[in-house]
Amino acid sequence: MLKKKTIHFSEETHKYLDESGNAIPSVSIIIGTGKHFSHIPPDRQADIMARGSKLHQDVDYFISTGDTLGVPLLEKFAKKFTELTNDFGKVVANEKPMAAEYMGYAFAGKPDIVCEGGVIEVKSSLGSSERIYGIQLGGYGMLCEANEVIDAKATQNYAIIYKHNDDWEYRILSKEYGGVTQREAFIASLLKHYADKVLNLYNNYF
């Protein structure tokens, strides 16, 4: 039901393509991450995205090299991340493009950090977005299982490490919310994404 899919990822366009050159929707597109921030003015959205991108680049550099570059915020990240790895174990992958199929429906993404014991997302803030980030992690966990990056059981352990003022905090997510796991919520989002696509094709004919 869940299987690995071969892809090509373009760093320039940030698009995932299958072997035939067809675009594969990302986890973020499937769950509609952008819609949850539509209330923010466009100019501020651009600023937030730029700062978030720089933050991810710095964290990726640290994860890859262990070097904080003497940057205070990155040094604080290193300290907090070390605490988190006491629960999640050592890093086995970061920013690795992956794709999978569930019931024939393809999706792709790049989990921020994959450890032996679970999947971790890096965020510039948390606010009230734990719900949507949890669904995102549910999708990334499925990608990790399909691509056999870590043990299948570990792919349902999730955490968010996020910037809080001038420091970092982390939150290990509960296994479920309202009786629904993050994975189940992502599967529902995946099926809805493709159902909406079919309905749009049909409705646009008229």
Side-chain angles (χ1 to χ4, degrees), residues 167-184:
D167 208 339
W168 292 84
E169 299 291 342
Y170 66 80
R171 183 169 298 177
I172 296 174
L173 303 191
S174 300
K175 293 293 184 183
E176 59 181 44
Y177 296 86
V180 180
T181 66
Q182 290 90 348
R183 176 171 292 206
E184 289 169 338

Side-chain angles (χ1 to χ4, degrees), residues 59-204:
V59 167
D60 181 52
Y61 180 82
F62 165 72
I63 296 296
S64 300
T65 66
D67 186 2
T68 62
L69 301 170
V71 176
L73 188 61
L74 204 51
E75 290 175 347
K76 291 177 181 178
F77 173 86
K79 181 180 179 180
K80 191 63 67 173
F81 183 69
T82 299
E83 291 179 19
L84 183 53
T85 55
N86 289 332
D87 291 299
F88 277 65
K90 70 178 183 180
V91 176
V92 297
N94 66 298
E95 295 286 345
K96 178 182 178 180
M98 293 181 262
E101 280 188 6
Y102 177 78
M103 295 177 60
Y105 298 113
F107 60 101
K110 288 199 307 178
D112 286 340
I113 305 170
V114 183
C115 293
E116 292 174 320
V119 188
I120 301 169
E121 273 296 284
V122 179
K123 300 297 181 185
S124 57
S125 65
L126 184 61
S128 59
S129 302
E130 181 177 338
R131 176 184 63 83
I132 192 67
Y133 293 155
I135 300 175
Q136 184 179 29
L137 282 161
Y140 288 156
M142 291 177 69
L143 288 174
C144 290
E145 180 176 341
N147 288 268
E148 299 181 338
V149 180
I150 51 176
D151 181 76
K153 188 176 180 180
T155 64
Q156 298 191 54
N157 297 329
Y158 313 121
I160 300 168
I161 184 166
Y162 58 97
K163 183 174 171 289
H164 180 67
N165 296 324
D166 291 324
D167 208 339
W168 292 84
E169 299 291 342
Y170 66 80
R171 183 169 298 177
I172 296 174
L173 303 191
S174 300
K175 293 293 184 183
E176 59 181 44
Y177 296 86
V180 180
T181 66
Q182 290 90 348
R183 176 171 292 206
E184 289 169 338
F186 176 75
I187 289 172
S189 300
L190 176 68
L191 299 180
K192 182 180 184 300
H193 172 84
Y194 279 96
D196 287 346
K197 187 175 179 180
V198 170
L199 286 171
N200 286 338
L201 287 172
Y202 177 81
N203 291 330
N204 287 341

